[in-house]
Structure formats: structure tokens, C-alpha cells
Amino acid sequence: ILMNTDPWWFAAAVGCYSLGTIISGVRWWHAAWGLKIRGLPVLYFIRTYYVGMWFSQALPSGMGGDVVKAWDLKRKTGRLRAAVTSTLLERLSGFGALIGILLVMLPVLNTLLGGYALLKLIWLMLALSVAGAVGITVALRVKRLYKTKVGRQVWRLSRDVWRTFFSSFGRFFAQGFSSVCVQVLGVMVFWCL
């Protein structure tokens, strides 16, 4: 298959994929910055993102790379919780962009998939995702959550979500725009191939 592939289109696909990985590394840097992980250059996050991508491909699960990224960031900073949270929130940012793109595309999906069970599943996933995002964000305002151990963890997660995505327009834009770019580049990879 590779011998019969047009090298220019293949190079374009590799370029789009590489650019998406670089943007994802920068997005992770922004998430870490929101959680007060400072002092590491953006190139560290890009390099570690590439290492994580390799492990995601080599290990049986796509999550292996996230574990490697979080572990390496913890090793550099000594902050396990912030390292894990920044890695998860970077992923959440990409998932949020995917949900946003799906919401924009719903009229097209209704036309293409009207009457199919898949469309109902998409609607259910969107509703649960939006409800979860709103619930975690609103939990920041509920002070009585402090009274239980689980409540304190939910409150901390809510605070971290707020710091990473909503504490300023610049943070929201950086996470949202970069995540949409990564999704579009992923589509471009398949189109080029």
C-alpha cells in the first residue's frame, strides 16, 4: 500500500498529524499552566506528548500515553495530582471540542441519520456530556461539598476545571481553538490519505 501511495499526499497527512500533536502539546502546557505548573518550557510538553503518543500506539490501550505523560510531569514537578489533572483536562478539552463540533453538525446528522438508533445515541452522549460539564463547573460554587471526602475531591476538580478553562477568556480561547484545530487536522489526515 505504501509503495503505491502518492508521496506528496502522504507527506501532507504526516504533516497534519504532526501539527496536531504539536498543538496538543501546547494545549497541555496551557492546562498545566492553569494548574500552576510553571517553569517548564512548552517544548518539554510537546516532546513528552510525542513520547505519550508512541506509548499510546505501542500499548494495548490508548490511555497508556496519558499515564506516561502524567508520570513524567510528576517526576519533573513532584506534583502527582496536578500532573494527572492537567493530563486529563487536556484530554477533556479535546473531547469538549468534539462535542461542540457535533452540536454544530447536528442538522447535517439529522438529515443523514434521521430515524437511526445511532442518532439517538449521539443525542444521549451529548446530553450526558453537557450535564456532566455543567455539574462539575457548578460544584465550584457549592461550599458544603467540603464536608465529605468525595465532595472535597469534586470541589477540587471543579476548581481545576475553572482555572484551566474559564478563569479568563484567553484560557478558554486557547483551549477551545487549539482543540478544534486538532480535530480538524485529524479529519485532514484522513482526507489526505
Side-chain angles (χ1 to χ4, degrees):
I1 291 172
L2 286 175
M3 293 299 290
N4 294 323
T5 301
D6 183 324
W8 294 107
W9 284 112
F10 187 75
V14 170
C16 288
Y17 189 80
S18 297
L19 183 59
T21 303
I22 291 167
I23 292 171
S24 295
V26 173
R27 181 177 66 191
W28 183 31
W29 176 75
H30 276 287
W33 187 266
L35 299 177
K36 300 186 187 321
I37 296 176
R38 310 226 166 110
L40 293 172
V42 71
L43 288 176
Y44 162 80
F45 289 90
I46 294 169
R47 181 188 63 78
T48 307
Y49 208 95
Y50 269 105
V51 171
M53 293 292 286
W54 185 87
F55 276 97
S56 289
Q57 297 299 315
L59 295 175
S61 162
M63 296 298 289
D66 290 336
V67 172
V68 169
K69 290 185 319 193
W71 174 81
D72 194 60
L73 185 57
K74 184 263 178 202
R75 189 178 58 78
K76 284 278 195 192
T77 63
R79 299 177 55 201
L80 176 63
R81 187 178 173 285
V84 170
T85 303
S86 70
T87 304
L88 293 176
L89 290 181
E90 183 270 327
R91 281 292 191 153
L92 182 65
S93 179
F95 185 65
L98 196 55
I99 290 170
I101 291 169
L102 239 126
L103 284 171
V104 169
M105 294 301 297
L106 272 178
V108 174
L109 290 173
N110 275 326
T111 302
L112 295 174
L113 302 174
Y116 288 97
L118 178 62
L119 184 62
K120 292 174 185 165
L121 178 64
I122 290 171
W123 274 104
L124 177 65
M125 288 180 355
L126 284 172
L128 291 174
S129 298
V130 169
V134 169
I136 288 173
T137 304
V138 168
L140 178 63
R141 306 291 178 214
V142 181
K143 296 292 183 186
R144 61 193 153 131
L145 285 176
Y146 278 123
K147 295 181 181 177
T148 67
K149 187 175 182 178
V150 172
R152 283 191 296 275
Q153 295 302 322
V154 170
W155 189 88
R156 284 184 187 126
L157 177 61
S158 174
R159 181 195 60 199
D160 292 343
V161 167
W162 182 264
R163 286 177 176 168
T164 303
F165 300 115
F166 304 112
S167 62
S168 72
F169 177 75
R171 286 193 195 288
F172 181 77
F173 182 78
Q175 290 292 330
F177 182 72
S178 62
S179 295
V180 169
C181 286
V182 169
Q183 297 296 341
V184 169
L185 285 166
V187 171
M188 292 300 298
V189 168
F190 285 97
W191 185 80
C192 289
L193 290 175

